[in-house]
Amino acid sequence: MYVILPGRVAIIDDLGGLQERVLLEYGPRGFLGEYNLLTGQAAYVSAVAVGPARLIEIKPGGLRELMAQEEALSELILGALLRRIAVMIGLHTGLSIIGSGYSADARRLLEFTARNQIPHSWVDVEHDAAAEAMLRDLGVTPDQAPVVTWGPRVLNNPTNAQLARALGLAPSPGPAQVVDLLVAGAGPAGLAASVYGASEGLSTLTLESTAVGGQAGTSTRIENYLGFPAGLSGADLAARAALQAAKFGARITAPCQAAGLEPRAGMTVVHLADGTMVGARAVIIATGARYRRLALHGLASLEGTSVYYAATPEEASRHASDAVAVVGGGNSAGEAAIFLAAHTRRVYLLVRRGDLAATMSRYLIDQLARRPNVEVLAHTEVAALKGEGELHGLMVTDRRNGSRRDLDARALFVFIGADPHTEWLNGVLALDRAGFILTGHDVPATSGPGGGRLPLETSVPGVFAVGDVRSGSVKRVASAVGEGSMAVRFIHDDLAPRTEGVFPARPDGGLVAEGAGLQVSVPSADKPALAS
Ligand SMILES: Cc1cc2nc3c(=O)[nH]c(=O)nc-3n(C[C@H](O)[C@H](O)[C@H](O)COP(=O)(O)OP(=O)(O)OC[C@H]3O[C@@H](n4cnc5c(N)ncnc54)[C@H](O)[C@@H]3O)c2cc1C
């Protein structure tokens, strides 16, 4: 962070790139810095002094220390950083993604940037006359698109992991690490565990395979989360929580997938999809669940262009003048239908049951009834999709009598439940029949070593499961957050006695782990590790 003493500094978007522009200027007592100061990502805009200027430079570690000591300053800085990232996203600063709206890779990059709160603009070669000239200037042919540019940098159809690495979101593969607490998954449950873990002084590493915020991050408005009477968007909740976790010193890496779990003497080793591994004194699994897909011919070719599993402003603006269909009778379907009704021409809500009251909250049913452009079709399921590459319409069936009807929907939003992300845990942890993780009293006495289980503790001692991935969970943001914080409490109480002697402290506060067959050491983080 830089504080301006005398002088003026211009904030410039896309410095040295095709779309360079000055956004604003700061004068004396202004401070320069983005959300990324604390999260470790690259900066998305540049600052250039306009004439002579004197600045105070504050490094990230110093900034954290300052914020821990100065409450009012901390509030001011965090508030400014959150507003700045929102403004940057709104102004479409940062990256430019140039490609065709019909390209699955372009849709993938747009979804990745949108869900990870990465400021970006979208240049569609199908609709933007300037796009071809931009590609020519970059020396890229249209068949090599999509391209991501950022100032003078050009990435040709990067994978999500390559883009994340370029932006400092994902860790470069390095030597194995040992942490006090490893959190797998950064939805509400994992983010809560990260905030509480780091704030309790545990060195905390959080792995996220897709996008920070999890399912909640795809929700356009969460109206029943305590303390937010006007509701808040899932993206906003995720950005706030990630910043809060970073403020306390947690490291969140995305995309980074946990691919295996192995208990070793005194700790748990988590294998990552890139082949590296992390040792942890305690593990919290918060990997949530994934949306179910409809078994329909041609579905895969439409996913990303007109079949979606989230309704965000991105999809809504794409279909603003269309009729769209939402499938599902639960709260997420109801929320999506209400949101889409405000941003698209017409919404069909397709429900298999006859009565929404059994599966959807009353307030959502009432809001749906007040929307003149929403038509609820009960006892209905999708029989066929029409169109290739783009949806041209749907054929639906009335389950009572088999009668069929054609709908002019140009997009299909699917919200029909979810399956747990536990395939990587098969054979290691006790799961229920549907694959959700058993915890506490539900863990069969015969499975795993050790005696009784703490609440939220799995069949492997020291490994906890929280949120939607846990068998019997409530499937709500608030309960996921509550469980994330509870698990940290149990870990904190339980950690020291269980692992005593295994992780000798180094003089500099880092950890050395040898007892479990890992010969690794890590430098101390900003905070001293618990073992020291
Ligand atoms: C559209 C929508 C709207 C909703 N609206 C509401 C609402 O208004 N109110 C409410 O209370 N609830 C709502 N919910 C439900 C709520 O979002 C979930 O209950 C909540 O997100 C569960 O949190 P979680 O952290 O347990 O799991 P998730 O949110 O599912 O997060 C799990 C995270 O783990 C990651 N992950 C998975 N596997 C791995 C792996 N192997 N390694 C690393 N990371 C991994 C996933 O990518 C994901 O980010 C909604 C859900 C949806 C889909």
Side-chain angles (χ1 to χ4, degrees):
M1 186 172 101
Y2 294 90
V3 181
I4 307 171
L5 297 173
R8 298 195 68 75
V9 176
I11 301 298
I12 302 179
D13 183 34
D14 203 28
L15 184 68
L18 297 174
Q19 307 194 71
E20 182 174 316
R21 58 179 167 156
V22 175
L23 297 175
L24 79 165
E25 272 186 24
Y26 287 112
R29 298 168 66 89
F31 70 87
L32 315 173
E34 295 177 27
Y35 180 84
N36 311 357
L37 273 177
L38 293 169
T39 61
Q41 294 170 45
Y44 293 113
V45 292
S46 307
V48 176
V50 183
R54 279 181 59 224
L55 310 169
I56 303 172
E57 182 192 41
I58 304 164
K59 302 257 191 234
L63 180 62
R64 273 201 198 99
E65 210 171 294
L66 182 77
M67 289 188 357
Q69 285 166 15
E70 298 285 339
E71 216 175 283
L73 207 50
S74 170
E75 205 179 307
L76 178 98
I77 293 170
L78 288 178
L81 297 187
L82 280 167
R83 277 195 297 280
R84 283 179 186 177
I85 189 83
V87 168
M88 284 162 64
I89 290 172
L91 288 176
H92 300 290
T93 63
L95 316 181
S96 299
I97 302 174
I98 310 171
S100 160
Y102 302 120
S103 148
D105 277 325
R107 303 288 314 156
R108 167 180 60 76
L109 287 165
L110 283 172
E111 186 185 346
F112 181 76
T113 42
R115 286 197 55 193
N116 280 291
Q117 300 269 299
I118 298 168
H120 66 278
S121 59
W122 165 232
V123 185
D124 190 342
V125 292
E126 312 291 341
H127 297 114
D128 193 327
E132 236 173 85
M134 289 173 84
L135 288 178
R136 229 186 357 263
D137 287 349
L138 294 168
V140 174
T141 55
D143 57 306
Q144 289 174 308
V147 173
V148 180
T149 72
W150 172 35
R153 281 150 291 213
V154 182
L155 298 174
N156 207 338
N157 193 10
T159 62
N160 291 353
Q162 285 167 336
L163 180 58
R165 260 200 297 281
L167 298 174
L169 267 165
S172 306
Q177 307 166 43
V178 177
V179 292
D180 290 332
L181 173 62
L182 182 135
V183 181
L191 286 169
S194 311
V195 167
Y196 286 94
S199 69
E200 291 287 329
L202 304 177
S203 60
T204 302
L205 175 67
T206 304
L207 316 176
E208 168 51 54
S209 61
T210 313
V212 171
Q215 294 170 71
T218 67
S219 173
T220 36
R221 191 133 296 264
I222 300 168
E223 297 215 34
N224 54 1
Y225 190 54
L226 188 73
F228 292 87
L232 86 168
S233 76
D236 200 12
L237 179 72
R240 285 166 183 271
L243 189 61
Q244 200 174 7
K247 181 186 101 167
F248 287 119
R251 281 178 296 149
I252 301 178
T253 67
C256 183
Q257 187 174 355
L261 185 134
E262 187 192 344
R264 292 197 194 170
M267 74 164 165
T268 305
V269 173
V270 174
H271 295 266
L272 311 187
D274 66 5
T276 57
M277 55 186 177
V278 181
R281 306 177 74 203
V283 173
I284 294 180
I285 299 172
T287 48
R290 105 171 50 77
Y291 319 113
R292 288 200 191 120
R293 301 166 79 230
L294 291 167
L296 288 169
H297 179 70
L299 183 87
S301 76
L302 297 170
E303 279 174 330
T305 61
S306 30
V307 173
Y308 309 102
Y309 299 90
T312 70
E314 196 92 31
E315 290 84 26
S317 68
R318 192 169 154 74
H319 296 284
S321 54
D322 295 334
V324 303
V326 177
V327 184
N331 279 0
S332 38
E335 281 169 14
I338 289 162
F339 170 71
L340 290 166
H343 296 92
T344 64
R345 185 168 58 79
R346 179 171 185 73
V347 178
Y348 301 103
L349 178 59
L350 314 180
V351 188
R352 292 185 85 221
R353 294 184 182 224
D355 178 19
L356 276 178
T359 49
M360 194 180 285
S361 299
R362 187 76 244 165
Y363 77 94
L364 291 172
I365 298 174
D366 292 345
Q367 284 189 36
L368 283 170
R370 284 197 291 272
R371 301 275 176 174
N373 62 339
V374 174
E375 184 180 348
V376 180
L377 281 79
H379 302 289
T380 298
E381 57 191 22
V382 183
L385 304 169
K386 296 180 187 171
E388 260 177 49
E390 254 192 301
L391 188 69
H392 294 303
L394 294 176
M395 185 188 285
V396 296
T397 314
D398 188 319
R399 301 176 72 228
R400 290 167 300 185
N401 51 25
S403 64
R404 303 210 150 180
R405 175 178 166 189
D406 286 325
L407 301 181
D408 57 343
R410 292 305 187 101
L412 180 65
F413 294 83
V414 183
F415 297 93
I416 53 168
D419 296 314
H421 282 291
T422 49
E423 56 295 326
W424 62 289
L425 298 164
N426 265 336
V428 184
L429 295 186
L431 307 177
D432 70 12
R433 289 173 67 182
F436 290 88
I437 302 173
L438 293 168
T439 53
H441 292 312
D442 295 335
V443 175
T446 48
S447 70
R453 294 280 175 272
L454 290 165
L456 306 178
E457 196 173 23
T458 69
S459 55
V460 171
V463 177
F464 292 74
V466 296
D468 280 16
V469 77
R470 195 177 66 76
S471 178
S473 69
V474 177
K475 313 277 185 296
R476 284 277 177 274
V477 173
S479 53
V481 168
E483 291 185 8
S485 70
M486 272 166 68
V488 169
R489 182 62 214 243
F490 296 135
I491 286 167
H492 200 246
D493 290 350
D494 202 45
L495 201 53
R498 246 185 201 160
T499 54
E500 208 174 354
V502 175
F503 298 92
R506 294 193 326 194
D508 66 358
L511 292 170
V512 180
E514 290 172 353
L518 275 181
Q519 300 270 328
V520 296
S521 64
V522 282
S524 92
D526 284 347
K527 282 169 172 294
L530 186 82
S532 64

